[in-house]
Amino acid sequence: MARTILLLPGDGIGPEVISEAEKILAVFNQDFDLDVQVESADIGGAAYEKDGNPLPEEVLAAAKESSAILLGAVGGPQWETLERHLRPEAALLKLRAELDLFSNLRPAILFSQLADSSSLKPELVRDLDIMIVRELTGGIYFGQPRGVETRGGERVGFNTLVYSESEISRIAHSAFKIAQARKKRLCSVDKANVLEVSGLWRDVVESVATAYPDIELSHMYVDNAAMQLIRAPKQFDVIVTGNMFGDILSDCAAMLTGSIGMLPSASLNESAQGLYEPVHGSAPDIAGHGRANPLAAILSLSMMLRYSLAESDLADRLDQAVGHVLDSGLRTADIAWDNQYCTTAQMGDAVIEQLRTNLNDVKEI
Ligand code: NAD
């Protein structure tokens, strides 16, 4: 039976960048024997406008049935005043929770062609390739009790940072497996010098490590990790950490690469079903002008091929095609040095042309 991919373009530039990824999926089906069935549905503001619900029940059901989901972005100023549960972002949170997508993979890869776009010196970041594995469904963003209440005549706000052994163990297994497919180095980031929950985190990660003797495990406090990411980022290969620390560190690492338009992400559950999405938002300021960089969405598709569809060969081909297009000097506005830039669709077409050229080269050999 053909595997099903659900496309959720969403709002703003979401549909523009997902349409480029969809063209590439069609080429993989046509010329590379991928054999996936592709379906599309609305999510976020687009779904709210049609159904009064940012994540309609039938879309959630289709997401649960699919092998993988490719999402563009959700949100926009017109929906910011809605009640919280009706806002586009609520759809994303619900999707993550319903599919139990606990393992968030955020690569920070710097294509050497873009080394000058980073805020750090080129020699510190050239060929940077870090993978941050962030626990996504637990920790302080979900812990109870939480709230704001009046105590002793003033308002007090509180949240709870809580992790169970099983939550730590499953994210640790996920990270060790990813480290096995890379340079076999894993750094676990916590705040064990201050927080009891981090002490438990460290204990559990240590015990999971015994199942992965081929992996070199280290530990680092989160404040030091933030400093080291800026000082010498290439010392890291895979980093595993909790929800809030991962939220902050992954944005920090991502910015080392210079452009938000280049950054993909994946969120996986225990059966490797995944939600793949660019790190950027719906960019209402450039939506509808053909100025969006589609490479984050295209590289998210590459992660989908690698982690949910077990098609590493196609993922490698796609990554290489993106590299070759950058080598050729083609740039969307966000990564261009000057006023010479291409449209969203021209960038997508160039990646397709490169995929086909490489395929023909292989056939001729
Ligand atoms: P944003 O990522 O949408 O935009 C930040 C800046 O980066 C803007 O100047 C934008 O033009 C630029 N940019 C973003 N993606 C780009 C691309 N592919 N190519 C070229 N330039 C790009 O962040 P924001 O402005 O803070 O948020 C806008 C909306 O997106 C808000 O409603 C927010 O809630 C939503 N949002 C959604 C997600 C998501 O769907 N996962 C993530 C972040 C923000």
Side-chain angles (χ1 to χ4, degrees):
M1 205 173 73
R3 295 163 292 182
T4 304
I5 306 302
L6 179 65
L7 302 181
L8 297 174
D11 308 317
I13 61 168
E16 298 169 45
V17 297
I18 292 302
S19 130
E20 299 313 308
E22 187 174 11
K23 284 177 357 196
I24 291 171
L25 266 172
V27 170
F28 278 142
N29 266 343
Q30 226 171 52
D31 299 351
F32 294 79
D33 302 324
L34 175 62
D35 194 22
V36 292
Q37 196 174 320
V38 181
E39 292 174 1
S40 277
D42 285 320
I43 191 170
Y48 173 80
E49 294 302 330
K50 283 191 190 153
D51 294 298
N53 179 356
L55 183 62
E57 283 308 316
E58 63 276 15
V59 178
L60 179 59
K64 286 182 175 170
E65 290 295 305
S66 65
S67 304
I69 303 152
L70 184 62
L71 183 136
V74 295
Q78 61 271 55
W79 301 295
E80 273 168 14
T81 50
L82 290 173
E83 280 178 64
R84 197 162 284 280
H85 71 285
L86 295 176
R87 286 189 208 161
E89 292 77 5
L92 206 46
L93 294 178
K94 186 165 176 195
L95 199 55
R96 286 175 183 160
E98 289 276 339
L99 271 63
D100 202 15
L101 301 169
F102 68 93
S103 179
N104 182 221
L105 277 48
R106 289 272 303 262
I109 298 171
L110 185 73
F111 284 87
S112 54
Q113 301 87 338
L114 301 179
D116 290 329
S117 316
S118 173
S119 46
L120 295 192
K121 294 189 198 101
E123 60 271 26
L124 286 182
V125 289
R126 185 166 287 116
D127 299 320
L128 180 77
D129 182 359
I130 303 175
M131 177 69 84
I132 298 193
V133 181
R134 164 189 171 197
E135 200 291 325
L136 198 61
T137 52
I140 196 165
Y141 294 169
F142 294 91
Q144 296 289 347
R146 61 191 295 161
V148 179
E149 60 188 34
T150 303
R151 294 180 194 164
E154 65 171 349
R155 286 185 305 153
V156 175
F158 51 95
N159 290 88
T160 304
L161 175 47
V162 54
Y163 270 117
S164 65
E165 281 184 279
S166 57
E167 284 175 310
I168 303 168
S169 162
R170 70 177 184 170
I171 191 70
H173 278 289
S174 180
F176 275 106
K177 285 182 186 137
I178 286 162
Q180 278 182 320
R182 293 174 50 103
K183 293 184 194 138
K184 304 198 183 334
R185 284 188 290 116
L186 176 64
C187 177
S188 172
V189 171
D190 60 42
K191 190 71 184 168
N193 50 342
V194 177
L195 301 172
E196 285 78 2
V197 62
S198 280
L200 179 70
W201 177 281
R202 214 173 252 225
D203 274 1
V204 175
V205 172
E206 285 284 350
S207 67
V208 170
T210 58
Y212 302 89
D214 52 332
I215 303 298
E216 183 195 319
L217 173 68
S218 60
H219 300 276
M220 198 177 274
Y221 297 137
V222 63
D223 41 349
N224 187 25
M227 203 164 69
Q228 295 300 331
L229 269 174
I230 307 299
R231 195 186 69 83
K234 285 197 266 185
Q235 69 183 283
F236 296 108
D237 184 35
V238 182
I239 291 176
V240 62
T241 190
N243 203 342
M244 182 167 63
F245 296 160
D247 190 4
I248 299 164
L249 291 182
S250 59
D251 269 18
C252 173
M255 276 305 99
L256 300 178
T257 69
S259 170
I260 196 163
M262 296 289 303
L263 298 167
S265 78
S267 305
L268 306 176
N269 63 20
E270 267 174 304
S271 41
Q273 187 190 29
L275 170 68
Y276 297 83
E277 50 181 324
V279 166
H280 62 72
S282 59
D285 54 332
I286 56 166
H289 296 285
R291 281 177 64 105
N293 184 346
L295 292 179
I298 290 171
L299 293 169
S300 299
L301 171 61
S302 161
M303 290 187 82
M304 174 194 285
L305 291 162
R306 199 178 297 283
Y307 293 110
S308 283
L309 303 182
E311 300 279 359
S312 307
D313 176 47
L314 294 186
D316 289 344
R317 283 171 186 268
L318 188 49
D319 292 347
Q320 278 160 18
V322 169
H324 284 138
V325 168
L326 292 173
D327 279 341
S328 76
L330 197 71
R331 301 280 185 269
T332 43
D334 57 313
I335 50 173
W337 288 261
D338 48 29
N339 268 340
Q340 299 282 314
Y341 52 82
C342 69
T343 64
T344 309
Q346 284 166 337
M347 182 57 93
D349 290 343
V351 174
I352 289 173
E353 197 184 316
Q354 192 59 55
L355 278 170
R356 289 202 161 123
T357 308
N358 291 352
L359 181 66
N360 289 337
D361 288 351
V362 171
K363 279 183 183 157
E364 273 164 25
I365 293 167

